[in-house]
Amino acid sequence: MQNNRCEADSDISALMEGLWLSLKKSEFPVHSFLAERGGELLKETYQAPYGKNDLHRMFSITKSFCSLAIGFLLEEGRLSLDDRITDYFPEYCTGTTVHPWLREMTIRHMLSMETCHSSTTYKLDGKKNWVESFFTTPPTHRSGQIFLYDTSSSHTLAALVKKLTGKGILDYLRGTCLNQTDFSKESYIILDPFGSEMGGSGLMARSMDLLKLGRYCMDTIQKGKGKFADYLREAVSFQVPTIHSGQTLDEQQGYGYQFWRIRKGFSMYGMGGQYVLFYPEEDLIFVITADTQNIKGGNQKILDLVYETVEKISHGCAETEGIPVKRSPDTWEASYRIYQNPAGFSRLSLSFGHSEGKLVLSGKDGDFQFPFSFEEARISVLSKYEQRIAVQGIWAYDMTLYLPVQVVGEWVGSIHLILRLSEENVTVWMKKVEETYFQEFQGFLEGERTAPYSARRS
C-alpha cells in the first residue's frame, strides 16, 4: 500500500496533542488515547481511573481476535471458510433436527455476520449453554443474505478455535502473533457461565497491547505474504453492506470478517467507545478506550474528532476506496410467496425500472405499497395508517436493495427495508423506528418466487 506523508512530524505531533485536548474538552469519560505512525509512538496518555498497566474491558474488539485466530487456522489447513459450522459441532446437531438454514451456514457467513439468527441466541435463554444455543435456536432466515450483528456467532467461533487447538483464543494467538508483539501475559478473556470464552465481548487487555497488535496487523496487511496475510487483507475489506443497521456514520461503511469498515480505513470496535482505528494511506493507528454507554451520540463524536484530524493529515493525499457498489439490474419484475411469519405477510412483489419502482407486501391486513424512486424521495400514502411516506431506493450492494421509508405526519418516524434478491428467493429485513405503530415491519421475511420474472442489466 502507498504510504503518503503530507505533514511534517512536528505538525503530526501537534495534531495528536490537539486531538487529545478535543477529546478531553468533550467531557466524555475517555480512559486512554494512543496514536502511532509507521511504528513510531506519537501519543500515549491515560485518565483516571485507568492507568498504563490496567486491564480494560475491550468488549467486541474480542471479535477481531477471533477473526485473527480463524485466519491462522486457515493458514495451517485446519479449516476452510466455506466449511459448514454444524460439521464441527455434531453434539448439538442431530440429523433429524437441524434446520436447513442452519445447516447451510458457513464459517464465512459467521465472520461476516450473515448468520441465520436475528439476535444473539444466548440472550434468549440464559439457562441454556451459550454455544449450544447457537445450534438449537430456530433460525429466522437463510444464512449469507443480510448483515445483522450477532455476538453469539463470535462466541461460537471462539469455541471452534478451542475445539480445534485445545487452547483459548489468546493462548493460541500467543504462539502465532501475540508473543511477537509483547502482548501482556496478564491479559485474558472472561468465561461465560458454562466455561467457554466470551469470544464476542470478553477481552481484558491493556491499551498498549492493542496498539502493538495493531501495528502487527497493519504491517501484515501492507507487506505480508502467505495465506494468513491474504486472509487478513480480505478480513478488513468490504464484504457486506451495513447501511441499514449502523448506529454511526462509520458503522454504515460496511463490514469485513469481524472487522468494521470506517471512513478512510477499518477498525476493531467495542461497545462503549473501545476502538483500534486503522488508516492505511497514512499508516496511522489510534487506540481509544472509554465508557460512552450512557452518552447518546458519544461514539459518533469521538469518531468525528479522529476523522477530522486524519483529514488534516491527508489533505492533498490519495483517497482510500469508498463503499463498493456492484452492478445491479436496471429492471426487475418478480413475485414471491412469503413463508409463515409473525406479521402475517403472504406475498411480495417488486418491480422497478431505471428510475422508479414499487414494493408491495400483501397479507391479512391487505396490501402495503411502497413506491420509490432511485433519483429522489417518492411521496405516497401508506394504506391502513393513512400516513404520508417518502422512499428513495438505494443499492447497498450487488442485488441488495435498501428502502428507507420516511413517515411524515403525526407519527413521525421511519421504516427500514433491505431486500436481498435472487432469481429464486428473496430475504427481507425490516425495522421500524417509531414509538407506537408499524409493528408488522419488524424482523425477517423469507420467500420463493412464484411467477416468471424478468430482469435486465445494461
Side-chain angles (χ1 to χ4, degrees), residues 437-456:
Y437 300 101
F438 312 114
Q439 298 294 339
E440 57 269 73
F441 302 111
Q442 294 271 61
F444 279 89
L445 302 175
E446 278 285 349
E448 60 183 4
R449 186 168 54 82
T450 58
Y453 88 107
S454 64
R456 183 172 66 84

Side-chain angles (χ1 to χ4, degrees), residues 231-252:
Y231 166 84
L232 189 53
R233 283 187 277 267
E234 188 175 342
V236 303
S237 300
F238 183 104
Q239 299 297 329
V240 292
T242 58
I243 189 173
H244 58 290
S245 64
Q247 297 299 304
T248 67
L249 178 60
D250 286 87
E251 290 173 24
Q252 295 175 11

Side-chain angles (χ1 to χ4, degrees), residues 147 238 240-256 260-263 265 267 269 300 303 322-325 394-397 402 404 416 418 431:
F147 171 92
F238 183 104
V240 292
T242 58
I243 189 173
H244 58 290
S245 64
Q247 297 299 304
T248 67
L249 178 60
D250 286 87
E251 290 173 24
Q252 295 175 11
Q253 304 303 305
Y255 198 74
W260 288 89
R261 295 292 304 170
I262 57 174
R263 292 170 289 177
S267 76
Y269 165 76
Q300 185 65 68
L303 291 167
I323 300 174
V325 177
I394 300 169
W395 285 110
Y397 200 43
Y402 177 41
H416 301 263
I418 192 158
K431 179 183 178 181

Side-chain angles (χ1 to χ4, degrees), residues 221-232:
I221 289 165
Q222 294 182 335
K223 299 175 286 189
K225 297 180 180 179
K227 187 167 288 188
F228 173 76
D230 291 341
Y231 166 84
L232 189 53

